[in-house]
Amino acid sequence: PQVCWLAPEQTAGKQKPYMYTQGQAVLNRSFFPCFDTPSVKFTYSATVKVPEGFTAVMSATSWEKQKDNTFAFKMSQPIPSYLIALVVGDIVSADVGPRSRVWAEPCLIEAAKKEYDGVIEEFLVVGEKLFGPYVWGRYDILFMPPSFPFGGMENPCLTFVTPCLLAGDRSLVDVIIHEISHSWFGNLVTNASWGEFWLNEGFTMYAQRRISTEVYGLPYTCLEAATGRALLRQHMDATGEDHPLNKLRVVIEPGGFCLFLGVNPDDTYNETPYEKGYCFVSYLAHLVGDQSKFDAFLQAYVNRFKFQSITADDTLAFFLEYFPELKKKGVDSIPGFEFDHWLNTPGWPPYLPDLSPGQQLMKPAEELAELWAADSLNMEAIEAVDITGWRTYQLVYFLDQVLQKSPLPEGNVERLSKMYPKISKAQNAELRLRWCQIVLKNNLEAEYSKVKDFLHSQGKQKYTLPLYRAMWGGSEATRALAMETFSATAPQLHINVQNYVKKILGLQ
């Protein structure tokens, strides 16, 4: 299950086959013999022979091409098994910074270079200032074929990302900050068990938002965090707050009756470790009460546990040791906010960071959505709002508001589409997803082709499944559209995504 073989039609170039591996969480055991647990770290070397016309790359600190199209790799830093990754395909590279290059199929390389030139170094420098040295040498990005089902995978030295990040106007480059943040949290300091996945993702979300605040300012970061909080709310509403997977410490070891039936860590993957984890790290920062002191703690934390796998108990004990005055105050047992309660009680986070600085970006978006939802449109007021300077997440927030108010009164969505080609004709995948959802919710048949085009252009799970759910939950026409689109695109989708879509369409 770990090794994905793509036929030529599942690639961007459609000429040659492609192969990649995806080890997280416990799939690398099907690729090579290993202790397939994040609690064990090791160095590795590999020799890979591939046919002429193909290139191999791995998540390694060094590699060289030898004769007979053989590639030799070495990872000189200890890593957990899930971070070993290999790609073989028709791929080429281009430098975009002093320690970074982009890799992609030949037909995508120009776009990748243009989008990321100079960008990665800026983010790395801020990350180093906040969290300490970047220890992995290179930071390269590999743009995967369109059928790659994930947003990104933080394989050290070589992050795998969806080609959906190539928006053509750099409007999604900040998505890479999350994967860069894993260089410290996850790859360097690692959760010792998948039951404490929040140690990887909660700290990475916090680190991502610290870098983003330094680069883009606090209002924008608060707006992005508000989008994350809304996703957590949707997830908890869908599963029920008291679902056992809505705890930060999830029990995935076998026990009790099911002595032989552990839980597959992949089945525990959801918004909770990311966003509830982010809230817990934010709560620790709130207890400290001084951003620069908490930044210094994060540096000390990384330095103390680098190249190790740890538990939440290790993290929290170190926090109390680093801040003896907080330990003395007993901050780990404040009623309702006990560290134990954070870790072991399912449900909504007991503390939410203040996102009010985002209001200066949210409020105009909310007011504009209000105007578009009115029975008779006040065009004067609408035209007075200039959205040309809005960044991606402000537009996303606006479209989320419009979607909540949909279906809009007759004719409004058509006018909105004409008024903002920046949205309705966007190449930015986050905007395309929401525009397609609005088109479906408002039965705007004239633009159904945009839904079809988007689903033909990529196979990322996060974009594909919501659109199939929206089509299947809609009219006869949208159900027909779903069937037609799926039968045309199924061969280019990852097998897991194919199966999820079949489930939605009742084909299983």
Side-chain angles (χ1 to χ4, degrees):
Q2 198 270 1
V3 183
C4 302
W5 303 94
L6 305 184
E9 60 265 29
Q10 290 173 296
T11 68
K14 311 238 182 280
Q15 301 300 309
K16 292 182 179 178
Y18 195 102
M19 172 269 196
Y20 70 90
T21 68
Q22 170 61 33
Q24 196 174 9
V26 289
L27 292 177
N28 266 343
R29 60 187 70 184
S30 69
F31 172 33
F32 59 94
C34 59
F35 293 104
D36 202 4
T37 159
S39 64
V40 177
K41 290 189 169 184
F42 48 83
T43 57
Y44 81 87
S45 59
T47 312
V48 184
K49 186 173 177 0
V50 300
E52 273 309 315
F54 290 86
T55 299
V57 288
M58 287 190 83
S59 53
T61 38
S62 70
W63 66 280
E64 58 164 325
K65 187 175 178 182
Q66 301 172 336
K67 57 181 196 301
D68 298 336
N69 225 33
T70 298
F71 296 83
F73 302 95
K74 203 181 224 125
M75 168 49 88
S76 52
Q77 319 271 31
I79 58 170
S81 55
Y82 75 89
L83 289 176
I84 293 184
L86 165 69
V87 159
V88 179
D90 180 13
I91 48 173
V92 291
S93 69
D95 286 331
V96 291
R99 46 185 159 171
S100 303
R101 60 172 79 95
V102 287
W103 290 88
E105 294 179 60
C107 60
L108 290 178
I109 196 71
E110 270 316 303
K113 181 173 166 50
K114 209 167 112 199
E115 199 91 354
Y116 280 85
D117 211 5
V119 169
I120 296 170
E121 188 60 22
E122 181 188 5
F123 297 152
L124 282 174
V125 166
V126 176
E128 289 190 297
K129 189 182 89 181
L130 290 170
F131 315 120
Y134 177 78
V135 302
W136 306 100
R138 297 200 63 80
Y139 187 91
D140 292 358
I141 304 184
L142 174 64
F143 288 90
M144 300 293 280
S147 58
F148 185 60
F150 314 103
M153 180 60 214
E154 66 273 12
N155 303 309
C157 310
L158 185 70
T159 285
F160 291 8
V161 293
T162 169
C164 294
L165 295 190
L166 299 174
D169 58 1
R170 297 198 164 186
S171 57
L172 284 177
V173 293
D174 54 344
V175 174
I176 205 70
I177 299 177
H178 181 86
E179 309 308 335
I180 285 174
S181 300
H182 272 304
S183 307
W184 293 272
F185 304 98
N187 296 6
L188 197 50
V189 180
T190 308
N191 47 227
S193 111
W194 293 118
E196 297 193 321
F197 186 44
W198 79 272
L199 279 178
N200 278 14
E201 293 301 347
F203 275 89
T204 294
M205 291 306 290
Y206 187 85
Q208 167 200 321
R209 288 171 180 155
R210 277 297 292 121
I211 294 176
S212 166
T213 300
E214 296 287 308
V215 178
Y216 299 116
L218 188 58
Y220 184 68
T221 303
C222 287
L223 174 64
E224 185 274 323
T227 311
R229 187 179 296 176
L231 288 173
L232 181 65
R233 185 71 270 168
Q234 277 172 22
H235 161 71
M236 289 213 176
D237 288 346
T239 54
E241 279 202 20
D242 51 2
H243 194 288
L245 291 184
N246 291 333
K247 293 192 290 197
L248 289 181
R249 184 182 274 154
V250 177
V251 181
I252 52 177
E253 298 305 320
F257 295 117
C258 53
L259 218 43
F260 305 106
L261 296 173
V263 175
N264 182 343
D266 280 346
D267 296 339
T268 69
Y269 176 86
N270 61 51
E271 299 295 338
T272 299
Y274 291 80
E275 295 295 345
K276 188 175 178 177
Y278 164 72
C279 289
F280 189 20
V281 181
S282 301
Y283 175 65
L284 297 177
H286 162 76
L287 289 173
V288 174
D290 176 320
Q291 187 65 62
S292 58
K293 279 187 183 161
F294 192 70
D295 288 347
F297 159 73
L298 288 177
Q299 276 214 30
Y301 169 72
V302 169
N303 194 42
R304 167 74 178 77
F305 294 114
K306 62 184 180 215
F307 302 118
Q308 296 178 50
S309 301
I310 63 171
T311 65
D313 295 339
D314 298 322
T315 300
L316 297 169
F318 181 72
F319 175 77
L320 294 172
E321 181 190 314
Y322 189 89
F323 295 109
E325 68 284 10
L326 292 180
K327 185 176 185 168
K328 211 157 109 193
K329 272 177 35 194
V331 294
D332 54 338
S333 50
I334 298 169
F337 300 94
E338 301 92 344
F339 289 179
D340 183 74
H341 176 89
W342 271 104
L343 293 175
N344 297 309
T345 310
W348 195 243
Y351 168 86
L352 296 170
D354 173 22
L355 302 180
S356 60
Q359 281 302 328
Q360 65 183 76
L361 299 173
M362 290 183 220
K363 213 166 157 31
E366 285 163 8
E367 287 165 356
L368 186 59
E370 253 339 301
L371 290 169
W372 279 106
D375 282 328
S376 58
L377 293 177
N378 177 348
M379 289 316 288
E380 198 181 336
I382 286 172
E383 280 159 12
V385 184
D386 178 17
I387 68 162
T388 51
W390 288 14
R391 292 181 55 83
T392 297
Y393 280 103
Q394 194 172 10
L395 293 167
V396 160
Y397 189 78
F398 164 65
L399 292 177
D400 282 342
Q401 301 295 311
V402 170
L403 185 60
Q404 276 170 22
K405 298 175 193 309
S406 291
L408 301 187
E410 191 70 35
N412 287 18
V413 179
E414 286 88 336
R415 293 201 59 181
L416 193 151
S417 175
K418 281 197 186 71
M419 174 106 182
Y420 306 131
K422 176 183 179 172
I423 291 172
S424 59
K425 293 191 164 79
Q427 284 308 299
N428 176 317
E430 292 289 329
L431 300 180
R432 286 177 85 177
L433 167 67
R434 280 144 180 107
W435 184 247
C436 289
Q437 287 173 307
I438 288 166
V439 162
L440 292 167
K441 192 94 183 266
N442 288 278
N443 292 318
L444 187 59
E445 295 199 19
E447 300 202 13
Y448 283 175
S449 60
K450 287 185 178 161
V451 179
K452 204 158 83 176
D453 291 346
F454 186 41
L455 288 169
H456 273 266
S457 74
Q458 57 76 42
K460 186 181 168 186
Q461 191 169 309
K462 180 186 158 192
Y463 301 143
T464 302
L465 303 185
L467 289 179
Y468 277 105
R469 283 192 200 104
M471 287 189 281
W472 202 244
S475 62
E476 281 300 308
T478 61
R479 285 186 149 209
L481 180 69
M483 283 299 199
E484 176 204 335
T485 307
F486 182 59
S487 65
T489 58
Q492 69 192 43
L493 293 174
H494 185 276
I495 186 73
N496 291 356
V497 180
Q498 282 183 35
N499 289 333
Y500 289 137
V501 176
K502 282 180 182 167
K503 220 178 201 160
I504 293 168
L505 304 183
L507 297 173
Q508 278 188 334

